[in-house]
Amino acid sequence: MELQLAAVLASLALGGALLVLFFGKWWQPLADADRNVKELADAVEALLRLRAELLRNDPAPASDPVRAWLRRVQEAQDELASIKARHDGGQLYVVRLLQYFFLSTGPVGGLAEQQLKAVLALREQGAALLEAALATPQAPPPLLCQPEDLDLPSESTGPARAHLNEALRFLGDCDAALGVWGAGGVGKTTVLKLVREVCGRVARFDHVLLVAVSRGCTVAKLQREVVAVLGLRDAPTEQAQAAGILSFLRGKSFLLLLDGVWERLDLERVGIPQPLGMVAGKVRKVIVASRSEAVCADMGCSKKIRMECFNEEDAWILFQTNVVGDTIHRHSQILTLARQVATECKGLPLALVTIGRAMSNKRTPEEWAEALDTLKASQLSTTPGSDKSTHTLVKFCYDNVESDVVRECFLTSVLWPEDHNISKDELVQCWIGLGLLPELADIDEAHRFGHSVIAILEDARLLEKGDNHRYNMFPSDTHVKVHDVVRDAALRFAPGKWLVRAGAGLREPPREEALWRDARRVSLMHNSIEDAPAKAGGALSNAQPSSLMLQYNRALPRRMLQAIQHFTKLTYLDLEDTGISDAFPMEICCLVNLEYLNLSKNRILSLPMELSNLSQLKYFYLRDNYYIQITIPPGLISRLGKLRVLEVFTASIVSVADDYVAPVIDDLESTGARMASLGIWLDNTRDVERLSRLAPGVRARSLHLRKLDGARALPLLSAQHAPELGGVQESLRELVVYASDIEELVADAHAPRLEVVKFGFLTKLRVMAWSHSASSNLREVALGACHSLTHLTWVQHLPCLETLNLSGCNGLTRLLGGAGDGGSAAEEVVAFPRLRLLALLGLPKLEAVRVEGECAFPELRRLQMRGCPRLKSIPMRPARGQCQVRIECDKHWWDALKWAGEDVKSCFVPVL
């Protein structure tokens, strides 16, 4: 039987071989036909994509060549359909052989091959037509109004108004790029800020981006600025970031304002869509501000505005505007002297503004005469805008600041990168750490003092308002900047020797020994230092700075940390977000004079007992540690006898071991230590009671609570528990509660300092009630994954609320309830007078912001709205003169929104 089966299989194999030999020469043409038809189909598909792109750039083609090409593309598509029909109709081998031999029109493969050549030729013609279409300047839509008709701010008078009008008219012409150039301090930045402020009233853009470029700007750095302004996510590589920016901006109208450009920038590498101009019905425009006309030309600016100093009359008007009060007109002699002081500024706007402010506190003719003599002797304006003249300008204003404390604080602001938006809180924390502010027992009072110093410097125009991209605030009251002219001058007359290379794109620390020798303050923050060659290590070995700022070098090399241990005179060290992983860097324990240490945003597993060597340590920050827990050895805190501020938090919501907190509180209890500010994680209310008993010697300023041992209520904010928890209630500024089973939260205790509350994964929380005494100063409220809540009516009674962030609360059906829920009657307008950021994310049952009635958001700048499919309207009443609100949402949701009127819709700029 087996022999018979083998014989049959052998016969089949032999027969197959014979068939292959017999029919092989006939099969090859058929295989070629399959390949040719597929190649033709692919070529036609590419041709159709090219047609679509051409029509996007020229939706209604009028030229005969384009119309003829489009007609031939349609014919090629029809011919493909015919060939494919013939090809697909003969799938059986025998039928296809008959077609091949007997059809009079020739074989399908041959026809496909001929047609492929024609299609490829059409593609070449289409590419040329597209290139011509892109190269043809197209005028954008006409301006909404003429710039001359706008009612503009006071700072846009005189020449500034003329330059602004010219820049606004550019938005309606065929040019793609405009250059604004002139000396430092002549007002280029002011013009760009005014364009950003008013361009929405003149032309329609989906996005207006003002980006400070600064010297030595790299592609990666510029990408970070663009991403921050647009609110996009960071990408791991430069190429990926460019792709993300390109994907976001492609198909949108945008105006890109580049301030302080020192050399040509490759915008295509950054991810800015090309070409610029009018493309596919969208307007892409760029305005470049630079000190150099040549740089503007290199950036493709065929049209340029040259900014020059003011004439005498315009200069006098600007100077008078900036001398606060009636100082000038109090005395006839002062009026005469004031005109002479203004003349000494030689029309430079920066000098007129800053010196005008500096002279505001000069009340007698003698003081004005002395100031005039100083300006004349310094020859401020022999070359307006030159380094020498601006140095003298800043020095004059610096010397006229009345307080030594304010002067010292101003100088430290130049340690940040050029054109950097500096958080006011970050700046004040630095001043406190450097010992520049009076050492106050109340840390909140110290912060208030620091903010008053910032106000003085802003009033003197030595600091200017920055931007807060988080709120989409332009300008912002939470951030400041230093004008690049002011920063350059301040670095020259800073006391002692400073080494400042912040934000300079460094890959390694400076190698020159001369730079490090005798340097008192060193700032290398916001770089990409990832290597420290031996030669650089040699340069560091002789350095003895008193302060070292390395924050945001996210891959700081070990060799750099090894060099730091020899900086024995160091009192201030900032290593935030420097990539420290696992083991604590023991080199730090050698810095016995250290008073300030910031190790936040790293990955540290435990603190060593050797840290107690830092007997002078006053401020220790370890916030947002990326590990679930961090071990603190018993006795460590008690040995740090001078510690005034301790903040130790993990970035995880997972509960930590009991020995995480116990040693800290045990040490504080056993030694009777005093601490101006304590921030820490806690797992149970017993520890809160222990902290409360330590008050007021220990002020718990920030608490993060987790688990809470199965508690059903949160006693911390309850007036009923004030006798045992009042010490914490009085000092608490920030409260974070995660992963607990609490069902009810009643806040009626007196919490005068409470500003921030965050609740997450409180899945059983059903009731939230807040009294005015517990909420009068709340600025920020965030809730996530609190699924049992149906509304948050209590937030409408927060007069200082600036940020409201709700995410993943699956049971939330409305944001604000009616009168029965403690809310307002339908006919009343609910106002959020200071709310700037509203985020409603992943709320599947949310049907209304308010069941009935309207809301007023006069300060709203940014609205994040995603994952709320049932929300169909925004019951908003626009405030008079309200800035447009950036709304980040999905396109289909935006298109389906119902509006109370066009005036409401016009308040929003969608980011789709």
Side-chain angles (χ1 to χ4, degrees):
M1 183 67 181
E2 292 179 358
L3 292 174
Q4 291 177 345
L5 180 59
V8 171
L9 292 174
S11 299
L12 290 173
L14 179 60
L18 291 173
L19 286 172
V20 169
L21 288 172
F22 183 76
F23 290 110
K25 66 177 182 179
W26 309 115
W27 179 254
Q28 186 60 43
L30 300 181
D32 292 342
D34 289 343
R35 186 182 66 255
N36 291 344
V37 171
K38 185 180 184 307
E39 289 180 356
L40 176 62
D42 291 343
V44 171
E45 184 178 353
L47 187 65
L48 295 178
R49 288 197 298 268
L50 184 62
R51 179 179 68 179
E53 190 172 356
L54 180 61
L55 288 174
R56 279 198 301 271
N57 288 277
D58 191 4
S63 67
D64 291 337
V66 174
R67 287 204 297 258
W69 182 83
L70 292 173
R71 186 171 58 252
R72 288 196 295 272
V73 171
Q74 184 60 51
E75 292 171 354
Q77 190 176 11
D78 296 340
E79 183 64 21
L80 171 65
S82 174
I83 291 174
K84 286 190 69 175
R86 290 176 55 186
H87 177 262
D88 297 341
Q91 292 302 318
L92 292 176
Y93 179 77
V94 175
V95 174
R96 294 178 67 186
L97 278 177
L98 291 173
Q99 286 180 335
Y100 180 76
F101 283 114
F102 300 111
L103 286 181
S104 58
T105 54
V108 173
L111 290 176
E113 186 175 9
Q114 292 176 12
Q115 185 62 20
L116 178 61
K117 294 178 182 179
V119 168
L120 293 176
L122 272 178
R123 281 176 57 187
E124 291 293 327
Q125 296 171 14
L129 291 172
L130 177 61
E131 184 178 352
L134 294 176
T136 303
Q138 297 180 1
L143 297 179
L144 302 176
C145 71
Q146 292 304 310
E148 293 80 5
D149 299 333
L150 292 176
D151 183 19
L152 297 177
S154 58
E155 60 263 37
S156 60
T157 57
R161 179 62 190 258
H163 296 319
L164 176 62
N165 288 347
E166 190 173 353
L168 292 174
R169 283 193 293 272
F170 154 77
L171 304 181
D173 63 30
C174 294
D175 292 306
L178 170 69
V180 179
W181 68 281
V186 81
K188 302 183 295 296
T189 300
T190 299
V191 168
L192 261 60
K193 287 182 176 180
L194 287 168
V195 168
R196 178 181 64 182
E197 183 178 341
V198 305
C199 71
R201 293 150 61 186
V202 176
R204 297 192 188 280
F205 292 97
D206 298 319
H207 300 284
V208 179
L209 301 81
L210 175 56
V211 178
V213 178
S214 74
R215 268 168 289 203
C217 184
T218 63
V219 169
K221 183 179 178 182
L222 185 53
Q223 285 177 332
R224 286 193 296 270
E225 292 291 324
V226 171
V227 163
V229 175
L230 292 175
L232 304 179
R233 292 182 178 179
D234 290 331
T237 65
E238 183 181 301
Q239 292 76 16
Q241 194 72 81
I245 295 171
L246 180 63
S247 175
F248 184 84
L249 288 177
R250 183 191 285 127
K252 295 183 175 70
S253 291
F254 62 84
L255 173 62
L256 177 60
L257 307 168
L258 297 173
D259 188 27
V261 180
W262 289 82
E263 58 187 358
R264 184 185 177 278
L265 300 168
D266 190 340
L267 297 182
E268 189 169 7
R269 282 184 60 195
V270 173
I272 305 301
Q274 302 294 316
L276 299 173
M278 185 74 179
V279 180
K282 301 297 181 181
V283 184
R284 302 170 177 174
K285 297 237 174 192
V286 175
I287 299 181
V288 176
S290 175
R291 296 187 187 184
S292 166
E293 182 182 14
V295 169
C296 292
D298 288 344
M299 291 292 296
C301 303
S302 56
K303 188 173 186 178
K304 305 179 193 71
I305 298 174
R306 180 179 181 179
M307 297 193 63
E308 298 181 295
C309 294
F310 285 14
N311 62 39
E312 186 174 348
E313 193 53 40
D314 289 327
W316 172 238
I317 293 171
L318 182 60
F319 182 80
Q320 285 187 96
T321 303
N322 284 277
V323 179
V324 180
D326 62 346
T327 303
I328 291 178
H329 300 283
R330 297 179 65 161
H331 194 289
S332 60
Q333 192 174 351
I334 290 181
L335 180 61
T336 303
L337 291 167
R339 277 197 171 271
Q340 295 179 59
V341 170
T343 301
E344 285 301 314
C345 295
K346 298 297 186 194
L348 187 68
L350 181 62
L352 293 162
V353 169
T354 53
I355 292 180
R357 288 301 180 101
M359 297 302 296
S360 295
N361 60 356
K362 308 299 183 186
R363 305 288 179 176
T364 66
E366 292 75 18
E367 290 176 303
W368 279 82
E370 182 181 356
L372 179 60
D373 290 341
T374 302
L375 289 173
K376 286 182 175 179
S378 64
Q379 295 182 344
L380 167 68
S381 308
T382 48
T383 308
S386 67
D387 288 346
K388 181 179 178 181
S389 72
T390 52
H391 177 280
T392 306
L393 151 71
V394 177
K395 188 67 167 63
F396 178 87
C397 298
Y398 172 82
D399 290 339
N400 275 274
V401 174
E402 294 181 350
S403 164
D404 290 339
V405 171
V406 177
R407 277 193 285 270
E408 283 192 84
C409 288
F410 160 67
L411 288 179
T412 61
S413 65
V414 305
L415 295 170
W416 272 260
E418 183 177 304
D419 294 316
H420 188 77
N421 290 299
I422 312 170
S423 162
K424 290 183 179 180
D425 290 337
E426 182 183 357
L427 191 56
V428 171
Q429 179 178 309
C430 170
W431 291 345
I432 294 173
L434 288 170
L436 302 182
L437 303 181
E439 192 166 304
L440 302 172
D442 189 331
I443 199 70
D444 288 321
E445 188 176 344
H447 277 267
R448 285 192 292 272
F449 185 89
H451 280 270
S452 70
V453 170
I454 291 176
I456 293 171
L457 291 172
E458 284 186 297
D459 192 53
R461 297 296 178 95
L462 291 173
L463 292 181
E464 58 186 47
K465 288 187 179 296
D467 293 338
N468 183 346
H469 300 309
R470 181 187 180 200
Y471 291 140
N472 199 35
M473 288 289 289
F474 312 116
S476 162
D477 58 0
T478 61
H479 289 66
V480 291
K481 293 173 70 173
V482 186
H483 193 289
D484 59 347
V485 169
V486 175
R487 182 177 182 270
D488 289 345
L491 282 171
R492 289 189 177 92
F493 60 75
K497 184 177 178 182
W498 291 16
L499 170 56
V500 181
R501 296 290 187 275
L506 300 182
R507 295 287 181 181
E508 60 182 51
R511 299 190 184 194
E512 299 85 349
E513 293 186 24
L515 292 176
W516 288 94
R517 192 181 303 117
D518 301 325
R520 186 165 69 88
R521 288 186 180 165
V522 177
S523 175
L524 304 177
M525 67 168 85
H526 289 278
N527 280 299
S528 302
I529 296 176
E530 56 190 17
D531 188 22
K535 187 173 181 180
L540 297 178
S541 62
N542 295 320
Q544 286 298 330
S546 61
S547 61
L548 177 60
M549 307 173 86
L550 291 170
Q551 60 264 41
Y552 298 101
N553 284 279
R554 292 174 175 167
L556 199 69
R558 186 72 186 180
R559 192 192 297 270
M560 193 75 184
L561 293 173
Q562 291 169 349
I564 288 174
Q565 66 182 318
H566 302 295
F567 296 177
T568 54
K569 294 183 180 179
L570 205 61
T571 62
Y572 183 104
L573 177 60
D574 197 325
L575 292 170
E576 181 173 353
D577 200 1
T578 49
I580 298 172
S581 185
D582 298 332
F584 186 90
M586 297 299 293
E587 294 85 355
I588 293 175
C589 300
C590 301
L591 306 175
V592 295
N593 290 306
L594 205 60
E595 297 179 5
Y596 176 100
L597 176 59
N598 187 357
L599 291 170
S600 300
K601 296 184 181 178
N602 286 298
R603 299 176 180 271
I604 297 173
L605 279 171
S606 62
L607 299 181
M609 183 56 76
E610 289 81 354
L611 194 62
S612 62
N613 295 341
L614 309 184
S615 58
Q616 304 300 311
L617 192 64
K618 297 178 181 179
Y619 311 96
F620 183 30
Y621 299 93
L622 188 55
R623 293 181 290 228
D624 298 328
N625 191 60
Y626 289 112
Y627 280 126
I628 291 175
Q629 66 185 58
I630 179 170
T631 304
I632 301 175
L636 174 61
I637 303 303
S638 60
R639 295 188 185 188
L640 297 172
K642 293 191 176 182
L643 199 61
R644 298 186 65 240
V645 173
L646 173 64
E647 293 192 9
V648 186
F649 297 119
T650 75
S652 170
I653 64 170
V654 180
S655 183
V656 297
D658 292 339
D659 61 358
Y660 166 67
V661 172
V664 177
I665 301 180
D666 290 346
D667 283 2
L668 293 173
E669 281 185 329
S670 63
T671 62
R674 304 182 69 83
M675 192 167 291
S677 177
L678 174 67
I680 201 165
W681 285 106
L682 298 177
D683 268 7
N684 55 71
T685 54
R686 293 188 303 277
D687 287 330
V688 180
E689 292 178 22
R690 295 171 68 192
L691 282 178
S692 194
R693 289 195 296 269
L694 295 174
V698 175
R699 296 179 180 271
R701 197 163 183 259
S702 182
L703 292 183
H704 293 203
L705 308 181
R706 289 183 292 194
K707 257 190 352 184
L708 298 180
D709 297 335
R712 294 293 180 266
L714 184 67
L716 178 56
L717 298 177
S718 170
Q720 179 183 349
H721 294 272
E724 67 268 27
L725 300 177
V728 172
Q729 292 172 350
E730 285 289 328
S731 62
L732 193 62
R733 177 186 173 274
E734 178 187 45
L735 175 63
V736 181
V737 184
Y738 278 118
S740 171
D741 290 334
I742 64 172
E743 299 175 2
E744 183 177 289
L745 198 161
V746 177
D748 56 359
H750 181 57
R753 305 180 187 220
L754 188 61
E755 295 183 358
V756 179
V757 293
K758 298 178 182 179
F759 304 104
F761 295 93
L762 308 181
T763 57
K764 298 181 180 180
L765 181 63
R766 295 177 291 101
V767 177
M768 294 188 76
W770 289 69
S771 70
H772 180 75
S773 60
S775 60
S776 58
N777 291 315
L778 273 180
R779 295 187 300 104
E780 183 174 348
V781 173
L783 283 89
C786 298
H787 302 312
S788 298
L789 291 172
T790 58
H791 67 88
L792 284 176
T793 306
W794 62 274
V795 300
Q796 78 174 65
H797 304 298
L798 306 180
C800 298
L801 186 65
E802 297 176 359
T803 304
L804 179 59
N805 191 322
L806 308 177
S807 61
C809 298
N810 294 343
L812 206 68
T813 58
R814 59 199 186 281
L815 178 58
L816 307 178
D821 301 309
S824 302
E827 60 272 13
E828 297 180 42
V829 176
V830 175
F832 290 85
R834 296 177 62 178
L835 190 69
R836 295 167 181 170
L837 171 63
L838 174 61
L840 303 175
L841 305 169
L843 308 175
K845 294 184 180 179
L846 184 69
E847 296 179 349
V849 172
R850 189 180 176 195
V851 176
E852 290 183 321
E854 295 179 325
C855 298
F857 302 96
E859 294 297 321
L860 192 64
R861 295 294 179 269
R862 185 175 181 185
L863 175 59
Q864 294 177 299
M865 191 77 70
R866 299 189 189 278
C868 304
R870 297 187 183 183
L871 187 64
K872 302 298 183 184
S873 65
I874 303 174
M876 177 175 171
R877 173 175 289 188
R880 184 176 180 180
Q882 179 168 352
C883 296
Q884 285 189 312
V885 180
R886 166 192 172 123
I887 178 169
E888 301 166 19
C889 58
D890 298 320
K891 187 177 187 303
H892 67 275
W893 180 85
W894 169 261
D895 292 338
L897 273 181
K898 299 176 182 177
W899 299 99
E902 284 300 315
D903 58 334
V904 178
K905 186 176 182 179
S906 65
C907 289
F908 294 93
V909 175
V911 179
L912 308 174

